[in-house]
Amino acid sequence: MSTPEHSPLGKHTVYADRYDPTLLFPIPRQAKRDEIGVSEPLPFQGVDIWNAYELSWLDMHGKPVAAVAEFRVPAHSPNIIESKSFKLYLNGFAQEPLANPAALSALLQQDLSRAAGAPVMVQLRAARTAQHVFADLAGDSIDALPITVDDYGPPNAGYLRADATAPAVDEILVSDLLRSNCPVTGQPDWGSVQISYHGAPIDREGLLRYLVSFRIHNEFHEQCVERIFMDVRQRCAPERLSVYARYTRRGGLDINPFRSTDQALPDNRRGARQ
């Protein structure tokens, strides 16, 4: 069954060291989308950008090869891929002989696309030429606002409001205080979030209180970002809206979901914490 409690999360695991695509554990997106009012056609476009820093295989002479991989899972795919199963799957290449990086890339694209239910883009880079540029999310930080907080969950959209009497603005707001928890293990997920919009000015203190209210909430990265998008859209009614989160890595993987009404897909620049 493709539900979190049936995934490898939180369970004793034997780490395979040979290629095994059955390790991938897809989880349908729609159940969580039903909770926040997302149905077809989707009210957003977007992508989940994964970076894998612990990827290695053997060449045909038995010598290990190391690389960094980027995966882009489209938001319209019916499934997310549970992260521990993703890690186990990638680790399975550790003792797998492969003719060249192109052979690995083809396998990755085939298996991940099958699990996600839509084409997944794969890019491999040599470990020393990964060309990851550090650049924190652009925008005005709201983290220094002098607010008093006593609400840490569940997410409280009641804090969100916009001044409909004021002229519309183009604004980008960011926070490094996003924290939520894995819905199976309870382990914390730490992230930074960027909210870009055109519309009535959003109350910054209310937005910060709202983001802090995710602090003890149990939900996967992708689901948190979609919840933020839908709550801001419903409560503040911007004409355009994009939400982009960059999460810190766990097990050699980081996940960076992006959802937008109309913005081009983002680049993949690592934040300082990544």
Side-chain angles (χ1 to χ4, degrees), residues 38-177:
V38 174
S39 59
E40 297 288 346
L42 295 178
F44 48 67
Q45 62 179 356
V47 66
D48 303 324
I49 303 174
W50 296 65
N51 295 304
Y53 300 96
E54 299 175 7
L55 178 61
S56 184
W57 66 98
L58 303 180
D59 69 14
M60 299 310 291
H61 302 286
K63 185 176 73 173
V65 183
V68 173
E70 175 187 316
F71 309 102
R72 289 184 174 241
V73 182
H76 66 259
S77 64
N79 304 319
I80 63 173
I81 301 172
E82 187 275 309
S83 60
K84 184 176 181 180
S85 79
F86 205 147
K87 176 186 177 183
L88 293 172
Y89 164 76
L90 293 177
N91 191 71
F93 288 98
Q95 294 298 110
E96 189 71 30
L98 292 165
N100 49 51
L104 173 59
S105 183
L107 283 176
L108 293 169
Q109 187 166 37
Q110 166 193 286
D111 298 338
L112 296 171
S113 297
R114 181 180 294 120
V120 174
M121 293 179 59
V122 177
Q123 185 172 12
L124 299 182
R125 300 183 181 92
R128 290 234 169 189
T129 58
Q131 296 180 353
H132 276 293
V133 177
F134 285 97
D136 285 316
L137 292 170
D140 294 337
S141 175
I142 60 175
D143 292 347
L145 292 172
I147 63 172
T148 299
V149 182
D150 60 5
D151 184 357
Y152 305 104
N156 188 346
Y159 292 122
L160 294 170
R161 55 188 177 273
D163 184 358
T165 66
V169 297
D170 284 297
E171 191 166 52
I172 302 175
L173 304 176
V174 296
S175 174
D176 297 313
L177 302 184

Side-chain angles (χ1 to χ4, degrees), residues 13-15 52 71 92 105 142 200 252 269 272:
T13 304
V14 176
Y15 282 77
F71 309 102
S105 183
I142 60 175
R269 298 188 181 186

